[in-house]
Amino acid sequence: MSLALHLPALQVVIPLISAPLAVLVRRGGWAFLIVTAASWAALAAAIALWLATADGATISYALGNWPPPWGIEYRVDRLSSFVLLLVSATAAIVLPYARASIEREIPHAQHYLFYAMFALCLTGLLGIAITGDAFNAFVFLEISSLSGYVLIALGRDRRALVAAYQYLIMGSIGATFFVIGVGLLYLMTGTLNLADMAERIGAIRESRSVLAALAFLTVGISLKLALFPLHQWLPNAYTYAPSVVTAFLAATATKVSIYLLIRFYYSVFGESFVFQKLPLPEIMLVMSIAAMFVASLVAAFQNDLKRLLAYSSVSQIGYITLGLSYDTVNGLTASLVHMFNHAVTKGGLFLFVGCAVAVAGGSSLARLSGLARVMPLTSFGIVLGGLSLIGVPGTCGFIGKWYLILAALEKGQWGLAMAVVTSSLLAVAYVWRFVETAYFREPHASLAGRKEAPPALLAPALLLAGAMLYFGLETSVSLGSAAGAAVMLMAVGK
Amino acid sequence: MNFGSHFSYAMTVFLMMAGLFVVIARGNLIKQLVGLGILQTSVYLLYIAPGKLIGGTAPIISAQFQIYSNPLPHVLILTAIVVGVATLALGLALVVRIRETYDTIEEDEILARDHGEPAHDGA
């Protein structure tokens, strides 16, 4: 029995087991060690799987040795290994930060429960990315969502409760729509295995039930990924959640939902059906453009840095879905690479904001005025992340936008290329709001006598800041995986 | 192809719409959760009803039985029920906490109570 053979199962099982262990030890310190060790083991598994699928191989793992399509199959290809890598790396970086961060934001008695919830959320997100079974994906979606609601509700502001409740209502409607879609597909094809479903769906694609399934899945997953105008839950949830939770969810939860959408579009329904027979690209194009402009504009008028960045997330998701709507290899590459790079950027940004909140005691822009004099490194990190949101060359945010423009020009769509550039100018506007308050104002009273955040908070944030620069210059990992996955999806998705 | 043979689907759609309407239209947090529960229950029906064949039995191999009902939807819905219970429990727990801190479970009153407070400037 070789351990390497069971990597796909271990990828999910290790964080899953760490959650009850964290509850059993009932001590924050021990729970921290267990969950961190589990997340690093998950990262190691994800790296191993990513390397194993680098040449385009697909790993199929029959859970409990029940052969697919009867049993649940875990299926790792280039796309899912890329998402696994993103999610587990974010968790591995964010967890060391969590220890110092929740010390300030969450009552001591709840620490072990926080780690248990974090482990469950990680399990769910990894599970969605790895499973090849539609209903299993629903269960993992709910595992990650339910633990996510709890994590958000742990915020110390009382509005965190309302934000978590609203997210629960919206998220559950989304998940229910998803499961309705899966149910209709199951009724039509008699299978839940995604690969098997794709084979059987060919002849009945035009039937109304399959169309209804596609509609339910699209709306349900769009709610989860906060596609404009279904993003209402996102700003409050990101604003009032504990800093570390915001960073983790912003970097992973919406990205995994995008993965799920791409998986259903390309690997189940088929690219030619979804994008050529139906008006879906047009609908998605309109939503994406609206997200890029409206959400950026709204972001520029926010008075709270976390809320500003939350609206910026909605607009950045617009770029990712814009790439999808192109229906070309370059467009899909742009989506996938921007998904990865935006996760790095937003994860890093929210970690830096967490540093600022830890020192200043709040994230309203008024409180952060003059931040640069007190916390030069944190301010620099936020500005660097802002540059990446704008898409300045040299930062990772540039790569995705560059490919979006390339893909637009490839189709002869000058207007779309211009839209990407113009909406990036709006990003300048909201990033400038932070620059102005942090660098050109007198320090706020609550910052008097304060120093830079402690190294335990700063180090993981700086690591992600380094990643923003690294993935902006050296793109073989991010762009290589994204392009490989895009070519694979377009090839099988016919 | 008459209404009778599609009765379960008609009920499913009715429950689905009723649940969704309650979630959207009601401002009371408990009523919203009730609506969510109805919406989720309609999905149970969507899965279970087509799995049942009239006269079908449990899938036990025996010469006496010719028609079997599909057991898989039942298993799936067992899982979905667990998920639904967890969602409802978490939702109710949040409502209890909201009532403790806001002293109301009406959405508009909660929003009114937060109105005018600075955004995220907690202790």
Side-chain angles (χ1 to χ4, degrees):
Chain A
M1 194 188 99
S2 156
L3 200 64
L5 276 177
H6 295 281
L7 270 181
L10 290 173
Q11 176 81 75
V12 178
V13 168
I14 293 174
L16 179 63
I17 290 181
S18 75
L21 283 181
V23 175
L24 285 175
V25 295
R26 291 187 71 90
R27 295 273 293 278
W30 281 104
F32 166 75
L33 285 180
I34 292 170
V35 175
T36 307
S39 76
W40 286 355
L43 176 61
I47 292 174
L49 286 174
W50 183 74
L51 289 174
T53 53
D55 56 351
T58 303
I59 301 171
S60 170
Y61 181 86
L63 216 62
N65 221 7
W66 295 94
W70 297 283
I72 291 172
E73 180 194 16
Y74 279 5
R75 208 176 166 85
V76 189
D77 57 17
R78 293 209 67 171
L79 177 60
S80 39
S81 67
F82 187 43
V83 178
L84 289 174
L85 190 66
L86 169 65
V87 173
S88 53
T90 312
I93 294 173
V94 157
L95 265 168
Y97 179 97
R99 180 149 203 211
S101 177
I102 63 170
E103 199 71 43
R104 293 169 169 78
E105 298 186 16
I106 298 175
H108 219 271
Q110 295 175 349
H111 279 188
Y112 72 102
L113 292 172
F114 167 85
Y115 290 117
M117 282 301 135
F118 192 97
L120 278 183
C121 192
L122 175 63
T123 307
L125 295 171
L126 291 172
I128 298 170
I130 205 170
T131 189
D133 184 278
F135 203 82
N136 202 224
F138 162 70
V139 174
F140 278 126
L141 190 70
E142 282 298 59
I143 291 177
S144 68
S145 302
L146 286 170
S147 46
Y149 309 145
V150 178
L151 287 173
I152 289 167
L154 284 170
R156 54 187 171 166
D157 193 301
R158 68 174 181 177
R159 277 166 287 185
L161 295 170
V162 184
Y165 176 84
Q166 280 168 341
Y167 185 17
L168 178 131
I169 295 289
M170 300 283 268
S172 298
I173 293 176
T176 307
F177 273 38
F178 177 78
V179 82
I180 292 170
V182 170
L184 291 173
L185 281 181
Y186 174 63
L187 293 184
M188 294 307 289
T189 59
T191 181
L192 286 165
N193 184 292
L194 293 180
D196 197 30
M197 203 182 260
E199 270 174 40
R200 297 193 193 189
I201 213 168
I204 48 160
R205 283 205 293 204
E206 311 278 337
S207 82
R208 196 174 291 172
S209 304
V210 174
L211 286 177
L214 179 66
F216 273 113
L217 286 170
T218 304
V219 175
I221 303 175
S222 297
L223 256 166
K224 289 276 183 190
L225 69 80
L227 177 65
F228 188 90
L230 302 172
H231 66 278
Q232 304 296 341
W233 56 269
L234 188 143
N236 278 335
Y238 280 15
T239 309
Y240 301 121
S243 311
V244 61
V245 174
T246 309
F248 182 64
L249 291 183
T252 55
T254 48
K255 311 299 175 290
V256 169
S257 304
I258 289 165
Y259 160 82
L260 198 57
L261 193 67
I262 292 176
R263 178 60 78 204
F264 269 96
Y265 279 177
Y266 285 89
S267 302
V268 176
F269 290 101
E271 178 265 333
S272 57
F273 175 63
V274 176
F275 289 99
Q276 288 167 22
K277 293 234 174 69
L278 300 175
L280 206 98
E282 286 82 357
I283 297 172
M284 200 158 257
L285 182 73
V286 173
M287 301 290 187
S288 308
I289 300 272
M292 281 155 52
F293 283 93
V294 178
S296 299
L297 210 59
V298 174
F301 289 97
Q302 296 305 312
N303 290 319
D304 182 283
L305 187 56
K306 273 177 117 176
R307 187 177 282 275
L308 185 153
L309 291 176
Y311 276 105
S312 143
S313 272
V314 178
S315 80
Q316 298 283 328
I317 286 163
Y319 292 111
I320 300 173
T321 47
L322 177 70
L324 273 187
S325 75
Y326 286 165
D327 183 37
T328 58
V329 172
N330 268 347
L332 193 54
T333 307
S335 284
L336 294 172
V337 81
H338 201 61
M339 173 179 97
F340 181 85
N341 288 337
H342 179 244
V344 172
T345 308
K346 252 322 146 34
L349 264 173
F350 277 120
L351 289 188
F352 278 117
V353 173
C355 294
V357 170
V359 172
S363 60
S364 67
L365 283 171
R367 237 172 215 275
L368 299 180
S369 58
L371 188 75
R373 285 189 217 166
V374 184
M375 309 175 71
L377 276 174
T378 303
S379 304
F380 171 75
I382 297 176
V383 172
L384 182 68
L387 292 178
S388 181
L389 289 179
I390 298 166
V392 174
T395 58
C396 64
F398 170 70
I399 311 291
K401 289 196 178 169
W402 174 249
Y403 265 79
L404 274 178
I405 293 174
L406 270 189
L409 294 183
E410 194 179 75
K411 293 185 80 179
Q413 303 268 20
W414 284 90
L416 282 180
M418 283 308 293
V420 173
V421 175
T422 326
S423 63
S424 299
L425 289 179
L426 286 176
V428 177
Y430 63 70
V431 172
W432 180 254
R433 295 225 31 213
F434 172 76
V435 175
E436 199 218 331
T437 31
Y439 285 85
F440 300 118
R441 295 236 177 113
E442 287 301 312
H444 187 266
S446 65
L447 286 169
R450 296 304 191 99
K451 288 201 295 287
E452 187 60 87
L457 290 178
L458 215 47
L462 285 173
L463 186 65
L464 277 176
M468 287 177 213
L469 290 173
Y470 175 81
F471 288 116
L473 301 170
E474 158 52 45
T475 56
S476 63
V477 171
S478 55
L479 193 58
S481 307
V487 169
M488 175 205 78
L489 286 173
M490 290 303 260
V492 297
K494 288 299 165 197
Chain B
M1 195 75 175
N2 55 11
F3 180 76
S5 69
H6 286 73
F7 179 68
S8 73
Y9 290 119
M11 279 315 290
T12 305
V13 173
F14 172 72
L15 285 175
M16 215 176 265
M17 291 304 114
L20 203 55
F21 177 78
V22 173
V23 176
I24 295 168
R26 296 291 151 187
N28 184 307
L29 302 188
I30 298 286
K31 287 181 184 168
Q32 286 183 359
L33 285 176
V34 170
L36 197 65
I38 296 173
L39 176 65
Q40 287 177 329
T41 310
S42 75
V43 182
Y44 307 161
L45 198 58
L46 177 76
Y47 273 71
I48 296 274
K52 170 71 183 166
L53 291 178
I54 293 165
T57 64
I60 303 162
I61 296 176
S62 161
Q64 288 170 285
F65 305 121
Q66 300 300 319
I67 312 169
Y68 300 110
S69 288
N70 187 353
L72 186 63
H74 298 76
V75 181
L76 295 179
I77 287 317
L78 216 53
T79 316
I81 289 172
V82 174
V83 171
V85 168
T87 312
L88 199 60
L90 180 58
L92 289 172
L94 283 173
V95 173
V96 169
R97 290 280 314 276
I98 289 172
R99 163 135 169 92
E100 279 170 7
T101 43
Y102 286 87
D103 211 27
T104 176
I105 51 167
E106 295 292 334
E107 204 164 28
D108 43 355
E109 287 178 24
I110 293 169
L111 292 178
R113 261 161 232 210
D114 275 336
H115 191 71
E117 275 190 38
H120 196 70
D121 245 9

